[in-house]
Amino acid sequence: MGNKQTIFTDEQFEAYQDCTFFTRKEILQLHGRFHELAPHLVPLDYTNQPDIRLPLALIVSMPELKENPFRNRIVEVFSEDGQGNLSFNDFVDMFSALCETAPRELKTIYAFKIYDFNVDNFLCKEDLEKTLNRLTKGELTPEEVNLVCSKAMEEADLDGDSKLSFSDFENMISKAPDFLR
Amino acid sequence: MDIDGELDSGREDEVRWRDRNRKVKLSPRAGGRNGKQATSEEEEEEEDEAQRKRAHKKKAKVQDSEEEDEEEEDEAQRKRAHKKKAKVQDSEEEDEEEEKSIKRKGPKAAGRNKKAVKQVSEEESEEEERGKKRKGRKLTSKNQKEGQNKEKKSDAKGKSDAKGKGVKDKGNEKDKKKKNAKYSSSSSSGESGDEDSLSEGEIAAQKEEVEEKKKLIATLRNKPWRMKRRLKLLKECQAFVEKFEGALGKGKGRKLYAYKVIMAKVMMGLPYGSIPRKTVPRAQQAKAMDYSVLLDFGVRIFGVMPYLSTLLSLLKVQGYCKYSVLFYGYYNDERTIGLLQFRLPLSYLLVGVGIFGYSLMVVIRTMARNSDEGGDGGDDGQFTFTFKMFTSWDYLIGNPETADNKYASITTSFKESIVDEQENQKDENIHLRRFLRVLANLFILCSLGGSGFLIYFVVKRSQDFAKLDQNTLSWYEKNEVEVVMSLLGLVCPPLFETIAELEEYHPRIALKWQLGRIFALFLGNLYTFLFALFDDVNEKLEQEKYIKNATIWGLKEYYANYSTFHNTTDIPPPEIPPADVIRGPCWETDVGIEFVKLTVSDIQVTYLTILIGDFVRAVIVRFLNYCWCWDLEAGFPSYGEFDISGNVLGLIFNQGMIWMGAFYAPGLVGLNVLRLLSSMYYQCWAVMSCNVPHERVFKASKSNNFYMGLLLLVLFLSLLPVVYTIMTLPPSSDCGPFSGRAQMYDVVMETIEKDLPAFIGNIFTYATNPGLIIPAVLLMVLAIYYLNATSKNYQNANLELKRKMQMARDEEKNRRNNKESTNQVMHDLVGLLPNRSLIPPPAEEAPPPDSMSEKGSKFPKVAKRPGAADNVKGVNLQKDVSLAAPNSRAAVTRPPGPRVPPGNARGPPPGPGRGRGRGAPPPKC
């Protein structure tokens, strides 16, 4: 807005403001970052809502995500097509969910999605193993991984179906002292 | 979600409904009624047109808005159609009869309808005309209803402001929707003709819907939906609200809405925004806390007495510094100084004792606060692994090195837990281990005793050296004590660690033992040192007595000689330059010097250790690695590890030394402040540049109170000797602020006697009477006993409550697993699957049979939508249903422990296809 070129219309701004936790300025900043990732692909003018998607590799190279062991999963979860290609909407969505004003419930849901590697809405043992291996950079031996996963499953699985449903996860997370604090 | 359900129905629905409308309209009417009906038809069409125009306008702006508008329009029409249907049934009835029928529908419904009517009558002019007709009936209750109206409005506002959780919202919406349906079908709407074709019930329903939509807008950002879906919904809701608020509230509602949105933003923003916090945990925080707390602590306490810090010529403390402001001997015993009558001796004593009081208070307060923050700890151990797995990553990490450290620390913490777990399962030859442990403790006791003896020996020897001529002594002979103590502190801890290998304790327990042993070593050394020092002091006291007698004797001789020589009794004091005056040994200064020497040598040893042990080693490892036979970095020398607990212990002991020495060497405080400041930056540099994280970090304790407890112990132990010397040993007669007095605390007595009014002296005499003190002590003991007993009671009650809470939680868990409340979230989760954002979630499952017929017509039609083909939709519906199915299972009647093959009483077996939702929907119950 303002002296430069118009990036968003007022309506778009209001819509984004209502749908995310961001202010107008922050949305502009986000657009700046999005544009920065691929200046030749992303137009400066977003008033006509171009459907442009950036591939996962580009998004993952952002400093915010670069060091995150779950970066690929995060981007995949927030991408519309599940392949990690993010449109600007998805991009804003991602940062809205990750920003600190987002409520705990929302974060819990997305955390569940992120840890759900095989996208079946349950955290099964393979999911846990993948999570663990990413967290430790694969430095644990397979036996250790196995032990940890079965222990974790034992702890959090309340209905005994040897996979964690969302309610199991929610229950567990709600007691976590470190989640979101 | 019914909103979507409505949106689904597209134009065909509309057309169908219109047809029905037409049919209905064609039906015969009572005479007077026909005209009105005609007008209503016209109005309807006009409205349609207007809407279309609006829609077209919007089209210019927004692509989708036309569709939405028409969908809403369609919805409105559907409702009208319901009315008309009702009309068909009782088409012959008169207006008034219809009105009666409203009342017959039940007092509540009628009341609500009337409320709605009232609202409209306030707003619409047509409505007013009609109102006149019915004035007679209505006037009586008009005022009442206005009031009710307002209440209702404010209720609705409150609801929309309250930020409900997603699931609850859904529930409400569902309920409301049903209500709406009831109202719109039950109200027979006689007035529809003359009030813009909207019945009272409809208006009420619409109001509610508007409120709903507003609420949805306000909470939209909290919904776990795709952005596309959110944007679309937002547009739809906004359009809806704009349209109907415009119709109902004439723009007033819009302001209200904006206000509400702002309020919602404020309300949502504040509680999260104002609390700075991290997304996910930092495991290192606790350790960092230890360090910083202690540093802060040292600075704070010793900032109390800002003293001139003299640059020490480091080990030549004996020289000039001995007579500087650093030490006790510098201060003299003048009772008052200057105009303000500053009482130096008194303040010296009070500050010296006050430091201890203040330190005690700060330490205990910090401990109390820590234990408060430590919280319940009730859930500890319940989710050890799960918490580590899901909440240990810090999403704010952006620095590669930090990330590496985080990986390492997470791995370590997992290994720690694994070791914990394995320890639990391990059982071995317990006799052998017991024997080994006893042996190890024997070794350690030996080395402790040895180090104690060594120190005693060295201190004794140094006293012998001190009697010799200072110039003939070598540097080592002068500083033997300090060197030996530092060396012991350097050598013993690794020795202990080696011995502790024998014991095979669990690492955390082993760490505590290790810390305890180092603690014992330091304390033992310090106390041996102190006892040796006391011997020294006693010797000095003897010596001083001798010198004092000699001086008095010399003076007497001088006076006698002077009087006999000059034959006068008016004797001037002997003229000796102050530097030549015979002096006593001034044991206080000597003690102070010992402590300063200890501190300085400690600083030197620490700094040199870091420089050589860490920096030089790191440099060698780093650069010699290019041309070496084996891998130096991974192999033997490797990089130094930063020993957190050792460093914290070091800080604690340093603090203890300061506490002990500060009374006799006030300058020590300033020295220590400098030391802490420089060592913070120095060690920070060393850690960042040449240390690697500890291979296995085991925190000694989760709370900081472990170290604070040690600090408290050290404080107490360093308080003892100081208070003992203050209370028992006579001060030197010729140096220090208390010279010439029998005891140091005589200053206080003196002040009380001379400077304070007499009655205060009396009070003191009474207060120090044993008859008062003993009961006071007794009282305190009783109070402690009582408080202890109460706290135990509370603890028990706490445990009991925790158990109850646990039980309640389990119960709730069981119940929740059987309820359908999780359904909505499951839908949302499904909605987040790739390419699903705009697929509407299925309508409520198992709709009541009567409404089934209406809703059934909605389902088959899928609105034209980008990216969502019809066949996909079919699959989705099935999937949603199958995902919702687990909730339909029977109650869980057994504990979750033993695993049985799923299938019985748990809904469909979780086959491979089920997760993806390809399976057939399970039967509904």
Side-chain angles (χ1 to χ4, degrees), chain A residues 80 93 100 115 155 158 180, chain B residues 230 277 386 813 835 837 896:
Chain A
E80 181 83 34
D93 194 18
E100 70 167 351
Y115 293 128
E155 282 165 4
L158 289 177
L180 257 197
Chain B
R230 263 188 247 168
R277 81 205 130 91
T386 350
K813 184 93 260 160
N835 288 325
S837 68

Side-chain angles (χ1 to χ4, degrees), chain A residues 64-65 67-70 74 115 135 178 181, chain B residues 277-285 388-399 402-403 406-407 409-410:
Chain A
E64 283 82 359
L65 292 172
E67 298 301 332
N68 199 309
F70 306 109
I74 294 174
Y115 293 128
L135 268 182
D178 291 330
R181 228 181 257 178
Chain B
R277 81 205 130 91
K278 290 157 214 95
T279 330
V280 206
R282 282 168 197 273
Q284 305 286 357
Q285 205 179 16
K388 283 209 175 98
M389 197 178 282
F390 294 127
T391 66
S392 54
W393 186 259
D394 186 340
Y395 278 62
L396 296 179
I397 289 177
N399 178 356
T402 322
K406 189 75 191 170
Y407 282 124
S409 120
I410 290 174

Side-chain angles (χ1 to χ4, degrees), chain B residues 239-352:
Chain B
F240 184 89
V241 169
E242 202 175 319
K243 181 173 146 197
F244 286 100
E245 284 234 305
L248 299 174
K250 291 208 167 162
K252 204 166 59 183
R254 204 168 156 71
K255 267 182 209 164
L256 196 70
Y257 157 59
Y259 169 74
K260 264 188 224 165
V261 169
I262 287 168
M263 277 310 286
K265 272 179 192 167
V266 167
M267 287 175 71
M268 271 186 294
L270 263 186
Y272 292 100
S274 62
I275 305 165
R277 81 205 130 91
K278 290 157 214 95
T279 330
V280 206
R282 282 168 197 273
Q284 305 286 357
Q285 205 179 16
K287 298 161 209 160
M289 272 292 289
D290 279 346
Y291 209 79
S292 63
V293 158
L294 288 173
L295 277 180
D296 179 37
F297 188 54
V299 171
R300 221 176 346 163
I301 288 180
F302 295 107
V304 174
M305 305 201 308
Y307 281 99
L308 223 169
S309 55
T310 323
L311 263 180
L312 284 186
S313 51
L314 281 175
L315 277 176
K316 289 172 80 183
V317 192
Q318 293 275 8
Y320 166 74
C321 285
K322 187 176 174 183
Y323 306 103
S324 73
V325 73
L326 262 178
F327 293 110
Y328 176 89
Y330 173 84
Y331 305 92
N332 63 8
D333 63 338
E334 236 176 310
R335 225 174 70 76
T336 56
I337 298 174
L339 271 179
L340 291 171
Q341 304 228 316
F342 178 66
R343 293 171 178 81
L344 180 82
L346 180 69
S347 50
Y348 194 99
L349 185 75
L350 290 186
V351 167

Side-chain angles (χ1 to χ4, degrees), chain B residues 458-651:
Chain B
V458 169
V459 174
K460 278 287 167 200
R461 214 162 79 116
S462 77
Q463 284 161 12
D464 291 342
F465 284 139
K467 284 170 196 156
L468 300 175
D469 183 13
Q470 293 293 311
N471 294 327
T472 60
L473 294 177
S474 65
W475 178 85
Y476 172 75
E477 281 168 333
K478 279 186 199 160
N479 300 291
E480 199 179 32
V481 183
E482 288 73 32
V483 171
V484 166
M485 278 185 78
S486 299
L487 277 182
L488 278 177
L490 212 63
V491 171
C492 279
L495 185 72
F496 291 166
E497 211 165 324
T498 324
I499 294 173
E501 300 269 304
L502 278 179
E503 298 177 309
E504 294 186 342
Y505 273 124
H506 173 272
R508 188 174 294 123
I509 302 169
L511 178 69
K512 282 201 173 164
W513 274 98
Q514 169 78 359
L515 289 181
R517 280 162 188 165
I518 298 175
F519 196 74
L521 172 81
F522 280 154
L523 269 188
N525 290 357
L526 211 58
Y527 261 68
T528 337
F529 173 73
L530 271 181
F531 282 124
L533 213 59
F534 272 129
D535 277 358
D536 194 27
V537 166
N538 283 331
E539 226 166 85
K540 291 250 164 72
L541 280 175
E542 292 295 315
Q543 198 184 337
E544 196 214 345
K545 218 175 271 170
Y546 169 74
I547 290 176
K548 194 177 165 189
N549 288 340
T551 319
I552 291 171
W553 182 80
L555 267 182
K556 215 183 261 171
E557 287 288 289
Y558 166 76
Y559 286 136
N561 285 343
Y562 195 90
S563 56
T564 46
F565 191 71
H566 292 283
N567 209 7
T568 169
T569 48
D570 183 25
I571 306 170
E575 285 170 21
I576 311 168
D580 292 341
V581 174
I582 306 166
R583 303 183 188 200
C586 197
W587 62 268
E588 290 96 338
T589 301
D590 280 354
V591 172
I593 286 171
E594 289 301 323
F595 278 107
V596 170
K597 271 160 91 179
L598 262 188
T599 310
V600 170
S601 74
D602 186 38
I603 297 173
Q604 284 174 325
V605 169
T606 318
Y607 282 25
L608 281 179
T609 320
I610 290 173
L611 200 65
I612 296 169
D614 288 334
F615 181 66
V616 176
R617 179 173 164 188
V619 167
I620 289 175
V621 168
R622 177 84 177 77
F623 291 104
L624 244 60
N625 202 25
Y626 295 121
C627 49
W628 203 260
C629 328
W630 67 83
D631 188 3
L632 284 174
E633 285 184 344
F636 161 59
S638 173
Y639 294 107
E641 285 175 348
F642 184 68
D643 180 14
I644 297 163
S645 42
N647 273 296
V648 175
L649 262 194
L651 273 177

Side-chain angles (χ1 to χ4, degrees), chain B residues 10 114 121 191 236 346 353 367 453 457 465 695 699-700 750 769:
Chain B
K114 280 210 170 177
S121 76
E191 296 80 27
E236 285 160 6
L346 180 69
V353 176
M367 283 179 78
F453 175 74
F457 173 75
F465 284 139
E695 193 185 351
K699 277 181 268 174
E750 208 173 87
N769 189 340

Side-chain angles (χ1 to χ4, degrees), chain A residues 50-64:
Chain A
D51 186 28
I52 285 157
R53 291 166 185 236
L54 295 190
L56 179 130
L58 269 179
I59 308 283
V60 157
S61 69
M62 293 178 71
E64 283 82 359

